[in-house]
Each structure stands twice: as C-alpha cells, then as structure tokens.
Amino acid sequence: MATEEYVTVTKNACKLCTPLGASLFFKGICGSIPLLHGSQGCSTYIRRYLISHFKEPVDIACSNFGEQTAIFGGEVNLKVAFDNIIRQYNPEFIGVATTCLSETIGDDVPMFIRKYKEANRDNKLPQLVYVSTASYRGTHIDGFHDSVKATVDILTSEYSYCKRENSINIFPGMLSPADLRYLKEIFNDFDVPFVMLPDYSQILDGSPWKEYQKFPKGGTKVENIINMGTAKACIEFGKILAEQNSAGKLLNKRYDMPCYNIGIPMGIHETDIFFNSIETITGKSTPEKYIEERGRLIDSYIDSHKYVMGVRAAVYGEEDMVVAIVSFLNEIGIIPVLCASGGKSGYFKDKIREMISDFDEKGIVVIDDSDFSHIETFAKQLKPDILIGSSKGYAISRSLKIPLIRVGFPIHDRINGSRILHIGYRGAQQLFDTIVNTLLEKRQESSVVGYSYM
Amino acid sequence: MTAIHILKEREKQIYEKGSQPFDLTCDKHSIAGSISQRACVFCGSRVVLYPIADALHLVHGPIGCAAYTWDIRGALSSGPQLHRFSFSTDLKEKDVIFGGEKKLYQALNTLIDTYSPKAAFVYATCIVGIIGDDVDSICKKMSKEKGIPVLPVHSEGFKGTKKDGYKAACEALFKLVGQGSINHDSETSKFRINILGEFNIGGEAWIIKNYYEKIGVQVVSVMTGDSRIDDIKSAHEASLNVVQCSGSMTTLAKMMKEKYDIPFIRVSYFGIEDVSKALYDVSAHFKDNPQILENTKKLVSSEIQNIYPELQKIKKALFGKKAAIYVGGAFKAFSLIKALRLIGMDVVLVGSQTGDQDDYKMLKELCDDGTVIVDDANPLELSKYIVEKKADLVIGGVKERPIAYKMGIGFCDHNHERKIPLAGFIGMLNFAKEVYATVMSPVWKFAPRHL
C-alpha cells in the first residue's frame, strides 16, 4: 500500500521508540540505573508506559536538558547526572541511552564518558555503558538489541580470557518475566551454568517490599556479564536478529565462540530446536519433565486440532515476535493471513515466507513499517477470525468484532502482562489453550442453542 | 526511619510543617540525574489540548511522543473521537538531515482531507526546534489552503517545563477565541460562562455542565473537556471564565481578560466544599439574577443530601487513616486535603510537580503540624515519607501507583488516566468509595510492612 499517506504519516503506531527498548534492557541488569540523555519527558513517558505494563516501579533517570543544554551541549548535564545518580543510588551499572534530542545536537557521549572516567580516576565508578538510540532510527526492539550488544561489547572488552568455562550465554531478547523465569528453570534443570542477559524476571515482576528498594532483587550480575567472554557457546533468539549485528555475533567474532542464532522458541518446532541446541552444547539430554510437557502439548494439539484448522489469524508486533507466532500457528493449521510489524528490518517477509510452504496460495499478507491504521484496513479485507498481539490492537478488535489474544508488549488493558508465558512447550500450551478457548467461546456465544457441552 | 537520604540540593524543596520556618524552594528545573515525576513541555500542551474531539492532533517528530500519548486518557467525547487517534509525522533519519517540512505539509494535507477536522494542532517536539523546521509558515499555508485553523503548538520538550507547555496550548486556544459566535437565534441566556481547565475525565465536564444548567447559567465552551472548535471560537461571548486546574488555564483566562474584558474566578470541583463554593461563586457573580442563587442553594442541598448518608458510613471506617498526596498541579491538592478531611482522613504528605511559592504557602496553611510538603519529588523521597509517616493511602498518578502498591499501601488515581469521575457531588462519593475500596482492602495484611 505505497500511497503517499503511507510514507508521510503514522496513525496509531505499532512500535515504540528506541530509548524504551534500551531502558527496558538496562532494567534487567543487577544494580543498574537506566539514564536517558535528553528531555525529561522521554524518561517520564517511558516510565509510565513500562509501569502500565509491568505494574512495578520503573526508575529511569534523565539528564534533564534545558534550553541552554540544547544550545551548548549535554556534557555538563551528563556529568551532573552521573554524580547525582551515584550519590543517591550508588549503582553498579549505569546504562546511558541517547534520545533524539541529544543525537540531533550531536553530543559525543563516548567522549563525555571518557572524560568523566578520567576526572574520577581515583573513585570507584559504576560500569558506564552507552548506547546510541536516536528515536528516528529503528524501533524499540532495535533499542533493546543494540543495548544488549553495547553492554556485552563494553563489559567483555576490558578483559582477556584464556580459559573456556562450561557455561552458556543466553540472549533471550524482549520476552516477558514469565518467559525469563521459564528459561532459567530450563537451564537449571539441565544443570548447566548460564548467564542470561537481560534478566528482569524478578525486577519487573517481584514481591512487595517493606521499604523502597533502590535496586529490586534480581537481574543479570555485572560480573557475570564480564565473564560472558569465557562461555562455551551463546544462544540468541530471533531469526531477524540473526541477520543483524548482535551481541552473540560479537562474542562469536571476538572469542570465536559458537553462537546458536535460533528463532524465539514458540511452538514445538522452534522449541525442539532450542532444546537440541542445549543438548548439542552440553552433551546432556533434555530432562524428562520437558519431554512430558512436549507430550502433553502434542496430545492437546490432537484433541483440539479441528477447532483450529483453517482458522484465520492476524498477527502483529515486533518482527521476531510475529515470526515466532507464525511458526507456532503454522504447525497447528491456523493461517496467519495478516502478519504486520512496525519494524522494518527488510527480512520480515522472507522469514515468514520460508516457514510456510504454500505461502502464495494462502494469500498471506505481510506488511512491515506498518501502523494500526494499515492493520485495520487489511484486517477488514482479510477477515481474520482472531487477532494476536499487544493490547494496542483492541480498537480494531472492538470495531471489527474480532477477538484479541493478548501476547507480547504492551499489555495495558489486562493485569497479566508480566505473567504471559510465550515460549517453550509450556508457553505454547498456554497460548494454544487460550486460542482454542477463545474460538470455543465465540462459537458458543454465536450459537442459538448455547450448549454447555462443546 | 528509612535508610533513604535526601540529596543536599533537594533539601530546600522539602518542608515539614512545625519543625522549621517556611522557606521552600520551587519552580526550579529538575536536577540532572534525578528520577523526577515531572514530564516535559510537550506533555503540558498535549494534556490541555487532547480532549478537543473534532480537531486533528498531529505530533511532529519521531514516533515516541505520539506513541506514548495514544489514547491514554479518560477524556470522553459525546460525539467525534478524532482526538483518540495518534497521528505522527514519524520523523526518520533522512528527515532529520534534510528537514521535516515537506513531510509535515503532506501529512497535514492527507489527514485534513481524510478526516475533515474543524481545526488542526501541530505539536512541535524536541528536535523540530533543533532541525529548524518552519512549522509556523507551514501551518499558515495549510490553513489558507484548507480553510480551517491550523495552529502550531511550540512544545519542544526541553524549552522549559510542563507549565510552558500549558502556556503554548493556551496561546493556540486563544487564537481560536473570537473567530465565531454562538447561535443567537436560539434561546440564549445572558448569564454565560466558559468552563476552563476541565477535561471531562470519565465525564466530569458533563456533571459540572449539568449543575450550571440547573442553576440557570449557560455554558458557552468547556476548555477542553468534550470540546468542539466552534464552541471555543465563541468563547469570547461568555461573561465569566470559571477556571479550574489554574496552573494550566490561568494564562488563557488572563489573555481573555485583557482582550475581551472577561473576568475570571478560580474554582475546584473536587470535594463537597469546593464544588459548592464554585457554584456559589458563580451565582454571586450573576447577582443581578437572584434566581441563580436560589437554584444553587436548592441544588447544593439536594445533592449533598443524596450522598451524605453514604459518606458518613465511609467516614466511620476511614476515620484517622493517613493519606499522602502527590499531584501535578498544587491547586488540586487543596481540594484533596479538604475532601480527605471530610471522610475522616489526615494528610501526612502533600506535594506537586509544578507548584509555585503561593501554592506551597497555601498548602502550609491547610496542613497540620508534621505534614511534609515536597516540590518535584522522586520515588525515593516519596517512598521515604510515605513509609515514615505511615500513610494508608497515596493519591497520585500512574508513576506513583507502583510506589504505593510495592510498599503495601492503598492508592487512588487522581490523574488524567482514570476512568471514573471524581468531580462534583457524585464524584465525591465515587472518590470516597474508591478510597474505601483501597484502604480497607483485606489484602494489605499480607504485605511485608504488616508482618
């Protein structure tokens, strides 16, 4: 739909800006404070947006540009910001992400950091990591992945490693706290040491406190990130990320470390690949518990296959998330008639096409760089039975009367955004049950008889 | 005591009544590195203009600003829903290099043709000022071509505080005022007002408008709750501006006073005391029609009678419980203190993002000894005093909610994102019910602070 409107205006964006992804990633490091270098609104809006999803405090500092800062540059503000954060929070790690403002005025943040470190040679400083996240380049997912890479780059570069440990580095990407907890469970059950980056599973989904915690419990430890250079191998989720310059690739290049670039493990096919990767790296077999999970999942696929066969779905979200959902839908017979993303990597359509053998016959529409206005236009034509994506699709769900299966980020109209499990056999089971039950409910409600026995 | 320390630079912005002479610093730019609860200039403009339902709101800049303000507010419209869209020029790298003017022009052109709005607001965000787009001249050109007002709103995030954003919004509104006229053929009263600073959150403007109509006062425009461009254009034909949320709208009231000689009064619709006072103040202004005062007396007494018994029940349960208030504008805090007292609660902390010296003096007068007053607080400070002062309730917005909940304390949303009306008499009852629901919930017994 290459109309003029398409290129000049975005209506109801299906993406957020890059500093949001960076902020979320930095929250997943133990003892870390994200610092946005720019105007105050950026941190406030992003905090508000993340809080509404995770329902947890999200402290993000800001260098609070004023008019003078915009004219003379942000060096002083950044320095003062570091000082104040260190005095008040004493963090182990500060993740600096730029905003469109500091990028546009051309602040040389790496130089500011170098000078700050020099001036504070005698003090013990937190790790200072910088990532360039101009919001006019890419979307929140790019901000996320770029921050992972920047962190690994800076923290592993200062050390030379000579020995290889038995551990695995896992780069899960932007998943839910429930997903991250599940990943940890898997590695623990394999009894293999691992470093997962990031890990906001507790920080953004934790217990109540007696007193305010500057640093909620959990997160990837800085010393563990430093040691990522010694791991035996990396596993990195995201087929589109696999085409890009990622943290895993960096370790692969720098330390000749094998990197398993695999899809986000949604559904049996991709989860099998994930478990096979761990088996290959460790030489251990998948614990019985997961083989049973897999068995139950297949059993339920069989029990309910007729309810889902030929059902039409519209899927939207970050490109890799959509690709993963499509893989899952494809293995149960649901046709992803519309696959949409606000991202624009250039690989989106190819990755989907290569998973679906009769892609063209099925008339599947794939749109990148899209917004909810395009998604609605196509949904009207393609008439999907269900929508799968974040809560931002609710307006379409309501106007077209198509049920919405909520996954991913953000979930602003339900309470369980943190607890949605997407990955692994268990995540597929949850998603499968939700989809089938939604279809059953639709069938039940539209029936004149209204059986209570389906 | 908690282990949280206050930064030295921040000490002057915190005051505990009774313990020291009053000398609170405010109206300062937030210090770098702070985790302020404040927002930016853009936020101020967007929040004021957002509820205008038949206008196009186009955010000129990269995607973030538009995405984070998409449909986040409970500002209702009785007709068009155009305000609930999020339109952005979604500037990309090449636009930043070569300028975004062409894109802005095309975006406006397409959007105005598609949606036929009555006016358009173009919000200039941070980098627009830096890359030097001439937003004013594009708006002017577009206005000429399309025959509707196309108004630039200079809300570059770094050019001041949220207050400057309010000002930019008021300037845009002021350009509309005087361009139209109310329909004088139909029956119009000569007792006409504008309601300023009422945003129809959960239908509040409807409640308030209904009160005015009942007492015999005609409402020409509401700025900006459930507002229409034509109403705003006729706003100069009112004889009184009634200003709530004075932080955001006093600028406009002053401009209208100067140009159209329309006086203004400040009111609040939160709490029985203040909503009654608002109606009485308006009736006092129209004293040449004694019927209005009579109607007001009747209305106030019947409305209070309706809610009083239930309020008393709630008060009994909440008596002696403690509340902490942290809101955007300080003016709202005055009403909240009174409203909380009415249901038996004491205020132990009160603060705001943007209060000025007079606001804080007023707060000091209203508060009891021991109450902490704070300007431009951050999560650490808020949590410190909430815990130390043993609050049972926090009143604030989305960013304060997790601070309260995390510490096992009740919370009431008194910001723009709530969906329940808290204004007017019925709003007072809703407020009391919500406070009761959160403070008296049995879940707190599981929270660590009670173990």
Side-chain angles (χ1 to χ4, degrees):
Chain A
M1 211 167 79
T3 61
E4 191 173 54
E5 181 188 320
Y6 191 84
V7 292
T8 59
V9 61
T10 296
K11 301 179 190 173
N12 299 346
C14 184
K15 60 182 174 186
L16 289 315
C17 70
T18 41
L20 179 136
S23 302
L24 176 57
F25 166 73
F26 289 134
K27 289 305 292 180
I29 295 172
C30 182
S32 152
I33 292 283
L35 167 62
L36 294 184
H37 188 45
S39 296
Q40 196 155 40
C42 303
S43 68
T44 300
Y45 276 130
I46 288 171
R47 287 178 64 204
R48 206 195 50 75
Y49 210 83
L50 292 171
I51 286 170
S52 302
H53 174 87
F54 291 102
K55 322 229 180 281
E56 294 281 341
V58 180
D59 289 1
I60 300 170
C62 182
S63 59
N64 294 342
F65 271 45
E67 200 155 8
Q68 297 293 316
T69 330
I71 297 164
F72 299 113
E75 182 170 3
V76 175
N77 279 55
L78 191 65
K79 179 190 164 301
V80 175
F82 283 150
D83 285 346
N84 283 331
I85 294 170
I86 292 167
R87 277 193 300 153
Q88 196 160 29
Y89 280 81
N90 192 23
E92 282 180 61
F93 181 103
I94 299 176
V96 187
T98 51
T99 62
C100 50
L101 177 59
S102 56
E103 287 280 341
T104 309
I105 64 169
D107 266 2
D108 187 351
V109 177
M111 186 191 73
F112 298 166
I113 292 178
R114 264 199 315 276
K115 281 168 76 178
Y116 186 78
K117 280 182 174 169
E118 247 159 61
N120 288 280
R121 242 172 320 187
D122 303 331
N123 306 327
K124 191 184 175 301
L125 288 182
Q127 293 285 351
L128 303 175
V129 166
Y130 151 78
V131 61
S132 165
T133 46
S135 60
Y136 45 76
R137 270 196 305 261
T139 72
H140 60 289
I141 200 69
D142 300 299
F144 190 100
H145 292 318
D146 287 351
S147 312
V148 184
K149 193 177 69 204
T151 303
V152 169
D153 183 10
I154 293 168
L155 295 198
T156 66
S157 69
E158 290 174 22
Y159 299 83
S160 55
Y161 304 96
C162 45
K163 65 172 187 177
R164 239 330 108 86
E165 302 289 343
N166 245 341
S167 73
I168 298 177
N169 294 328
I170 166 87
F171 299 109
M174 194 174 146
L175 294 178
S176 76
D179 291 326
L180 300 180
R181 276 194 291 275
Y182 184 50
L183 281 173
K184 291 198 283 189
E185 187 181 327
I186 292 169
F187 284 101
N188 286 328
D189 288 340
F190 262 97
D191 197 19
V192 52
F194 65 96
V195 180
M196 180 168 73
L197 184 69
D199 177 10
Y200 43 75
S201 63
Q202 280 174 286
I203 293 172
L204 293 177
D205 194 20
S207 319
W209 306 326
K210 197 161 189 174
E211 192 177 304
Y212 199 77
Q213 302 297 301
K214 291 177 181 174
F215 302 105
K217 224 164 114 184
T220 315
K221 291 204 167 74
V222 170
E223 67 208 59
N224 289 347
I225 306 173
I226 291 169
N227 281 325
M228 281 185 127
T230 65
K232 193 172 182 190
C234 297
I235 299 177
E236 192 167 60
F237 294 161
K239 290 186 173 182
I240 285 174
L241 183 64
E243 303 289 344
Q244 294 159 332
N245 191 3
S246 64
K249 290 249 180 60
L250 185 141
L251 288 174
N252 173 269
K253 258 187 230 154
R254 193 177 280 173
Y255 303 109
D256 200 23
M257 189 184 296
C259 182
Y260 292 73
N261 291 102
I262 60 175
I264 300 173
M266 291 182 73
I268 290 172
H269 179 72
E270 293 295 329
T271 305
D272 283 350
I273 293 174
F274 173 50
F275 275 93
N276 288 342
S277 308
I278 309 176
E279 287 190 349
T280 312
I281 298 165
T282 61
K284 294 180 176 184
S285 339
T286 298
E288 192 57 30
K289 179 173 146 189
Y290 299 96
I291 293 169
E292 284 177 15
E293 275 183 3
R294 185 178 188 274
R296 279 195 298 273
L297 176 61
I298 294 172
D299 201 57
S300 71
Y301 275 9
I302 294 168
D303 290 340
S304 303
H305 68 279
K306 280 194 278 183
Y307 297 126
V308 291
M309 182 64 183
V311 162
R312 298 159 69 80
V315 192
Y316 57 85
E318 296 98 26
E319 289 170 285
D320 261 324
M321 185 55 123
V322 174
V323 169
I325 293 169
V326 167
S327 168
F328 160 69
L329 296 178
N330 194 44
E331 72 185 20
I332 57 174
I334 293 184
I335 310 163
V337 287
L338 175 60
C339 308
S341 177
K344 194 186 176 188
S345 66
Y347 303 103
F348 191 42
K349 191 165 186 174
D350 291 346
K351 294 294 168 193
I352 290 171
R353 182 189 283 274
E354 71 194 29
M355 283 189 291
I356 303 172
S357 51
D358 42 1
F359 180 89
D360 291 312
E361 294 91 276
K362 281 183 171 148
I364 292 167
V365 174
V366 179
I367 42 171
D368 64 359
D369 199 17
S370 66
D371 60 25
F372 281 103
S373 157
H374 304 129
I375 296 172
E376 180 160 12
T377 306
F378 281 105
K380 272 183 193 155
Q381 292 166 18
L382 296 164
K383 299 193 170 38
D385 302 298
I386 48 172
L387 297 174
I388 304 177
S390 75
S391 64
K392 295 294 153 189
Y394 176 69
I396 299 176
S397 160
R398 187 180 169 100
S399 79
L400 303 184
K401 297 191 171 58
I402 304 169
L404 169 62
I405 312 283
R406 288 169 179 78
V407 296
F409 174 90
I411 305 297
H412 282 166
D413 61 354
R414 291 291 183 273
I415 60 159
N416 61 333
S418 296
R419 296 185 292 274
I420 298 176
L421 185 63
H422 306 84
I423 61 163
Y425 305 120
R426 212 184 290 165
Q429 184 76 71
Q430 268 196 17
L431 192 52
F432 183 74
D433 289 347
T434 309
I435 291 174
V436 174
N437 284 340
T438 303
L439 292 167
L440 285 177
E441 188 179 338
K442 198 175 161 187
R443 201 188 254 213
Q444 193 173 29
E445 286 191 346
S446 59
S447 145
V448 276
V449 183
Y451 293 108
S452 62
Y453 183 92
M454 299 288 284
Chain B
M1 286 293 279
T2 60
I4 294 165
H5 301 289
I6 303 300
L7 282 183
K8 205 164 168 34
E9 297 87 324
R10 291 272 317 137
E11 281 172 1
K12 288 231 150 210
Q13 280 165 275
I14 301 165
Y15 166 79
E16 185 167 340
K17 186 171 172 183
S19 66
Q20 64 210 92
F22 182 75
D23 176 27
L24 189 90
T25 308
C26 55
D27 257 333
K28 272 177 66 174
H29 196 79
S30 304
I31 58 170
S34 64
I35 295 166
S36 166
Q37 307 294 82
R38 278 182 180 169
C40 59
V41 184
F42 167 71
C43 176
S45 298
R46 189 85 176 98
V47 91
V48 168
L49 298 174
Y50 176 93
I52 306 174
D54 58 353
L56 179 79
H57 301 267
L58 174 61
V59 182
H60 185 37
I63 197 63
C65 307
Y68 301 128
T69 52
W70 174 25
D71 206 23
I72 60 170
R73 291 174 81 201
L76 299 177
S77 163
S78 54
Q81 302 289 331
L82 194 50
H83 65 303
R84 292 181 59 206
F85 272 95
S86 161
F87 297 121
S88 169
T89 49
D90 195 358
L91 294 182
K92 303 284 168 54
E93 191 151 26
K94 96 175 165 13
D95 306 311
V96 174
I97 297 164
F98 299 108
E101 290 182 10
K102 199 173 153 211
K103 206 171 187 183
L104 173 61
Y105 176 84
Q106 286 175 342
L108 279 168
N109 194 36
T110 318
L111 288 171
I112 293 172
D113 288 351
T114 310
Y115 295 99
S116 314
K118 295 281 183 178
F121 295 101
V122 179
Y123 302 82
T125 60
C126 278
I127 65 167
V128 172
I130 305 283
I131 62 176
D133 279 358
D134 189 351
V135 176
D136 289 17
S137 78
I138 289 169
C139 287
K140 215 181 227 173
K141 190 172 169 204
M142 193 47 73
S143 187
K144 218 173 186 179
E145 285 177 23
K146 302 290 177 188
I148 59 163
V150 179
L151 302 163
V153 184
H154 286 285
S155 48
E156 291 90 347
F158 58 92
K159 284 190 174 168
T161 66
K162 197 170 168 182
K163 279 186 190 173
D164 297 282
Y166 295 151
K167 198 164 156 264
C170 285
E171 279 160 6
L173 287 171
F174 188 62
K175 284 182 194 152
L176 291 168
V177 174
Q179 290 189 21
S181 182
I182 49 177
N183 183 1
H184 289 280
D185 299 338
S186 67
E187 203 181 318
T188 55
S189 149
K190 55 178 190 156
F191 307 102
R192 294 194 291 256
I193 62 166
N194 296 310
I195 300 177
L196 268 54
E198 167 47 62
F199 303 106
N200 205 31
I201 309 300
E204 286 175 344
W206 298 333
I207 294 171
I208 302 305
K209 210 171 156 180
N210 180 259
Y211 294 154
Y212 284 124
E213 278 163 5
K214 276 189 176 157
I215 64 169
V217 170
Q218 188 188 348
V219 175
V220 179
S221 75
V222 182
M223 289 192 243
T224 53
D226 192 20
S227 175
R228 302 291 179 274
I229 293 296
D230 283 347
D231 299 338
I232 298 169
K233 283 179 172 175
S234 314
H236 60 292
E237 296 191 352
S239 48
L240 178 68
N241 277 330
V242 185
V243 189
Q244 190 186 229
C245 189
S246 56
S248 67
M249 281 296 193
T250 306
T251 312
L252 180 66
K254 282 182 178 163
M255 288 161 119
M256 288 175 72
K257 168 97 178 59
E258 195 163 307
K259 184 162 178 188
Y260 301 105
D261 202 25
I262 303 172
F264 68 91
I265 55 169
R266 287 187 188 192
V267 302
S268 163
Y269 302 116
F270 295 115
I272 288 185
E273 204 174 316
D274 283 357
V275 66
S276 306
K277 186 173 184 305
L279 297 173
Y280 278 119
D281 286 353
V282 171
S283 58
H285 181 82
F286 296 119
K287 55 181 174 297
D288 40 337
N289 182 351
Q291 190 56 46
I292 293 179
L293 180 63
E294 276 312 301
N295 296 342
T296 304
K297 280 182 187 162
K298 239 186 271 168
L299 175 88
V300 169
S301 104
S302 98
E303 290 286 336
I304 292 178
Q305 264 175 28
N306 283 342
I307 61 169
Y308 199 71
E310 209 165 342
L311 282 179
Q312 285 307 101
K313 268 191 234 163
I314 293 172
K315 180 178 179 174
K316 216 169 148 191
L318 294 175
F319 193 81
K321 300 276 184 192
K322 298 183 179 79
I325 301 169
Y326 191 76
V327 285
F331 206 74
K332 189 152 77 183
F334 305 155
S335 300
L336 283 170
I337 293 172
K338 288 182 248 177
L340 286 164
R341 277 197 187 132
L342 191 77
I343 50 172
M345 293 183 70
D346 304 319
V347 175
V348 291
L349 166 86
V350 58
S352 82
Q353 293 170 19
T354 57
D356 63 23
Q357 201 55 243
D358 291 342
D359 294 333
Y360 288 118
K361 272 186 196 147
M362 176 77 178
L363 281 179
K364 188 204 143 213
E365 295 309 313
L366 276 173
C367 288
D368 299 323
D369 272 359
T371 301
V372 172
I373 299 174
V374 57
D375 173 61
D376 186 20
N378 55 50
L380 290 183
E381 291 167 3
L382 287 174
S383 67
K384 173 185 170 73
Y385 293 113
I386 289 164
V387 169
E388 288 179 7
K389 296 285 175 184
K390 298 190 167 52
D392 303 288
L393 169 75
V394 174
I395 298 180
V398 177
K399 295 185 300 295
E400 288 77 33
R401 183 173 54 214
I403 302 173
Y405 284 172
K406 219 48 197 168
M407 250 106 54
I409 295 168
F411 177 80
C412 171
D413 188 349
H414 212 289
N415 210 333
H416 286 273
E417 294 175 34
R418 70 197 147 82
K419 306 291 183 279
I420 300 164
L422 300 179
F425 298 97
I426 184 68
M428 177 67 211
L429 185 60
N430 291 341
F431 173 69
K433 281 180 179 169
E434 192 177 337
V435 171
Y436 178 88
T438 187
V439 172
M440 302 308 289
S441 166
V443 303
W444 304 124
K445 65 176 176 287
F446 300 110
R449 75 177 182 126
H450 291 296
L451 296 178

